[in-house]
Amino acid sequence: MSRTDSNPRSMAVTALTRVKKGAYSNLQLNQMIDQSPISQRDAGLLTTIVYGVIQHRMTIDYQLAPFIKHPQKVEDWVMILLETAVYQMQYLERVPKRAIFDESIQIAKDRGHEGIRRFVTGVLHQMDRQGIYDPADIKDPLQRQSLMYSIPEWLVKELTTQLGAQKATHVFESINHPANQSVRVATDQISLTEAKQALSDEGYQVADSQVAGDGLVLHGKPANQAALFKQGKMTIQDESAMLPAESMRIQPAMMILDACAAPGGKTVQMAAQLDANKRGQVVALDIHEHKVKLIKQNAKRMHVNDRVVAQALDARNVNQVFDNDLFDEILVDAPCSGIGLVRRKPEIRYEKELKDVLALAKIQLDILNAVAQKVKINGIITYSTCTILNQENRDVVAAFLANHPEFESQRVTTTRDLKADRQTDYLEIYPDDYDSDGFFVSQFKRVR
């Protein structure tokens, strides 16, 4: 194995190059760590650099720009190598500058030719001599916030308008912090107390989730190394993502539709509350066949496959397959921009534009309209998204209720009674509220 194959800084360049070509940062990192013999410490450095560069990419590129005369001529991996060096200099206080320079120059030499080594050396030493720009000094407030927090200007503008300047700034500051490692315990198989003890015995630091009733926050090793995970008694899930299913009033014999189910985290959470002997069942849909396989795998791993029927179907076409008044409850965890997941999937912020958000809002409303008559009278539709933008949340809810007088808004309640003093029926979780993903949950009861 060559020096670069197991060097966390070189591996970070590889991972970031693949992410730039379309790979998901979290999946790419998991794959590289699983397939490499690097130590836990080096895996931590690799993860920190990859997420850190993506989180701060706009800031870093702004600081690099004065030192690179012809950026279009610089190969992707070389630019990424420089980004990793700037990130370490700016954000990793414990790493000596000399180590950053020596490692970066060595990677340039190992991966490229003498010209690339000289170029990287020159840029780094020029930055060291001249110093770099601080985006906090930018006069224009929109551009300043955009480059300080590395968030596209359209998103800074939208969130500032919707949340107010103070709340928006809190959100911007919070999303560049590392995400918590959270898990949901399958309490149909093991109690929370037993799970906490088992995890502690394995060396994890364990804390109760302050968001979700069956959630735990773990520190230490990756959660997928735990015996409970391998036994299907625990699954990796963000605390906020547990709330839609938690808020539903599921009874053992219910027939439930999970309209947008993949990869099946919420499907198995709901199925765990059903009884196969009483014909309790979740019908889980996804538009893609390969994602239906993920739902089935998830259901099997978590020992609920006797209560899950997964099939490929666009939820907008449910009328072609299902009778009206068929389901006791319906979950529409709608496809969305994912802006609430920026802490966990930092590249999302650069991939979306406002036009994408508006297009998604139309799809969300189309799905709700399609499933509306499939729920029984007195049944409830739960609508959720992992975004924090009103266009995909409040506006979709308002439009649905305006179009469907047969539905009434219901107040969303959770095990921990989150935001008990709010004035709205729907529940909005922002990334800075509990250091979890941003999420939106609302419910509508069919009254006639």
Side-chain angles (χ1 to χ4, degrees):
M1 180 173 283
S2 75
R3 171 190 164 86
T4 50
D5 285 336
S6 57
N7 178 321
R9 290 179 171 88
S10 181
M11 290 173 73
V13 174
T14 301
L16 286 162
T17 305
R18 290 174 182 169
V19 170
K20 198 159 193 177
K21 290 177 180 173
Y24 290 115
S25 57
N26 56 337
L27 301 180
Q28 186 59 50
L29 273 170
N30 291 342
Q31 183 184 343
M32 290 184 82
I33 291 167
D34 287 345
Q35 293 175 359
S36 171
I38 61 172
S39 67
Q40 198 168 321
R41 183 180 174 185
D42 281 351
L45 179 60
L46 165 64
T47 302
T48 298
I49 293 174
V50 169
Y51 278 131
V53 168
I54 300 171
Q55 285 168 337
H56 300 281
R57 175 160 270 147
M58 289 173 66
T59 313
I60 291 167
D61 288 350
Y62 167 75
Q63 293 171 326
L64 267 174
F67 305 98
I68 300 175
K69 289 178 183 173
H70 304 289
Q72 68 279 7
K73 293 183 180 178
V74 181
E75 289 183 61
D76 277 352
W77 76 264
V78 178
M79 186 66 84
I80 286 166
L81 173 60
L82 288 167
E83 289 174 341
T84 65
V86 175
Y87 169 72
Q88 292 173 81
M89 286 191 288
Q90 286 288 91
Y91 299 99
L92 299 186
E93 294 172 0
R94 294 182 184 177
V95 182
K97 190 191 300 178
R98 192 179 71 184
I100 298 167
F101 279 33
D102 289 350
E103 286 271 14
S104 300
I105 292 165
Q106 185 65 47
I107 291 166
K109 183 179 175 183
D110 290 343
R111 286 181 168 233
H113 49 71
E114 180 59 19
I116 288 175
R117 187 199 66 79
R118 285 203 305 268
F119 171 72
V120 169
T121 304
V123 171
L124 292 177
H125 285 294
Q126 195 181 356
M127 290 177 73
D128 193 32
R129 283 195 306 271
Q130 296 182 19
I132 54 182
Y133 293 148
D134 184 348
D137 296 333
I138 296 171
K139 288 191 168 61
D140 177 74
L142 185 61
Q143 188 188 22
R144 181 173 64 244
Q145 282 205 302
S146 174
L147 288 170
M148 275 178 67
Y149 299 113
S150 200
I151 298 169
E153 287 189 10
W154 76 265
L155 188 52
V156 172
K157 194 172 179 181
E158 281 299 317
L159 288 174
T160 302
T161 301
Q162 293 180 16
L163 304 179
Q166 187 177 17
K167 177 68 174 175
T169 300
H170 282 165
V171 171
F172 301 152
E173 288 170 348
S174 78
I175 59 176
N176 288 331
H177 295 162
N180 285 330
Q181 179 173 229
S182 58
V183 297
R184 183 181 60 78
V185 175
T187 51
D188 58 318
Q189 301 177 59
I190 185 172
S191 72
L192 273 174
T193 304
E194 290 168 327
K196 285 194 282 189
Q197 187 61 56
L199 290 163
S200 295
D201 290 346
E202 277 196 73
Y204 289 93
Q205 292 172 271
V206 186
D208 288 322
S209 167
Q210 58 177 331
V211 179
D214 291 342
L216 297 174
V217 176
L218 306 185
H219 295 281
K221 298 174 292 184
N224 65 355
Q225 293 179 10
L228 290 182
F229 179 85
K230 293 170 183 173
Q231 294 161 4
K233 295 179 180 178
M234 178 183 94
T235 190
I236 297 166
Q237 193 172 2
D238 185 78
E239 298 163 88
S240 298
M242 302 176 205
L243 296 176
E246 182 184 288
S247 69
M248 296 166 71
R249 300 289 168 263
I250 295 175
Q251 300 299 318
M254 278 185 171
M255 184 81 162
I256 297 172
L257 177 66
D258 189 352
C260 315
K266 298 175 186 68
T267 305
V268 299
Q269 187 180 357
M270 293 186 290
Q273 301 173 61
L274 299 174
D275 185 339
N277 294 325
K278 295 182 178 178
R279 295 193 163 183
Q281 190 177 84
V282 181
V283 177
L285 309 180
D286 193 86
I287 195 168
H288 301 293
E289 193 69 62
H290 69 279
K291 290 190 175 180
V292 171
K293 287 181 184 172
L294 291 178
I295 300 167
K296 290 177 179 176
Q297 288 166 8
N298 221 332
K300 189 173 182 181
R301 191 181 78 77
M302 298 299 289
H303 314 295
V304 294
N305 46 321
D306 59 341
R307 287 152 274 175
V308 173
V309 175
Q311 62 189 89
L313 181 69
D314 185 330
R316 290 170 291 188
N317 298 329
V318 288
N319 219 34
Q320 298 171 11
V321 179
F322 300 110
D323 294 334
N324 288 347
D325 309 313
L326 179 61
F327 296 100
D328 298 289
E329 299 238 352
I330 295 176
L331 173 63
V332 177
D333 185 49
C336 71
S337 62
I339 298 300
L341 308 180
V342 166
R343 187 189 278 120
R344 200 171 297 281
K345 296 178 180 176
E347 62 271 25
I348 284 174
R349 70 186 87 187
Y350 312 121
E351 296 169 353
K352 296 290 189 289
E353 298 176 26
L354 186 56
K355 66 180 181 183
D356 302 315
V357 171
L358 299 174
L360 284 160
K362 183 182 184 307
I363 292 169
Q364 291 152 4
L365 190 57
D366 287 348
I367 293 171
L368 282 173
N369 288 336
V371 303
Q373 299 311 308
K374 304 305 167 189
V375 72
K376 295 175 182 177
I377 293 174
N378 294 320
I380 290 175
I381 296 176
T382 299
Y383 172 74
S384 62
T385 71
C386 55
T387 186
I388 53 175
L389 291 166
N390 290 349
Q391 289 94 331
E392 301 177 83
N393 294 339
R394 298 180 185 186
D395 296 356
V396 171
V397 167
F400 177 77
L401 290 171
N403 293 340
H404 292 274
E406 73 276 22
F407 282 88
E408 289 179 357
S409 175
Q410 295 285 293
R411 185 173 176 83
V412 172
T413 57
T414 59
T415 302
R416 304 216 182 282
D417 201 15
L418 299 179
K419 300 195 174 183
D421 60 347
R422 70 184 191 274
Q423 300 300 303
T424 59
D425 285 341
Y426 52 75
L427 175 64
E428 291 170 313
I429 304 291
Y430 293 99
D432 62 323
D433 290 338
Y434 307 103
D435 288 331
S436 61
D437 288 347
F439 239 86
F440 178 88
V441 188
S442 57
Q443 292 179 325
F444 327 114
K445 183 176 182 179
R446 186 178 172 196
V447 292
R448 61 177 182 272

